Amino acid sequence: MNENKVSLQTIYDEIIHHYSWENYEEAKKRLLRKKYSFLQKKLVLCNPEDFKEKGANYVPINDAAIIRELLIEAVNDSEESMVVDWFNGKIDTRDSQAATLLFM
């Protein structure tokens, strides 16, 4: 593995620890994989195969903290969040005002 990359499993483990979801680890990892897939396809518009090495998924180390924070917010159901709404398909980013609010 390249030292300039971080395993997505590591990021998922950090999020699970952040929310103390250890008792629900497998279900939450499935949820996080779905959220990451959405993020990868809708935000960064990249080919998932470009991030695989020997069957495991890796992201550039410089992007890991951003991905982790977006995923933490994407599964945050403790308060109302535009990010959660966006991940759930409830924000039309073709609307410039909605896109600007989401960015902020």
Side-chain angles (χ1 to χ4, degrees), residues 10-77:
T10 300
I11 294 171
Y12 298 159
D13 290 340
E14 290 171 354
I15 296 167
I16 287 167
H17 179 71
H18 173 83
Y19 283 114
S20 300
W21 285 341
E22 287 80 2
N23 293 337
Y24 312 99
E25 188 170 342
E26 288 309 310
K28 295 303 183 178
K29 280 188 179 180
R30 225 175 1 262
L31 172 65
L32 290 167
R33 282 192 297 270
K34 287 180 183 178
K35 297 298 182 181
Y36 177 73
S37 178
F38 173 87
L39 180 67
Q40 193 174 43
K41 292 174 186 169
K42 299 289 184 178
L43 184 65
V44 283
L45 305 172
C46 60
N47 181 353
E49 295 302 313
D50 293 342
F51 294 88
K52 286 193 179 205
E53 290 182 19
K54 299 180 183 175
N57 292 296
Y58 292 88
V59 295
I61 197 163
N62 292 336
D63 297 343
I66 297 166
I67 291 167
R68 182 178 45 254
E69 293 304 315
L70 281 169
L71 291 175
I72 283 172
E73 188 61 31
V75 296
N76 181 1
D77 60 2

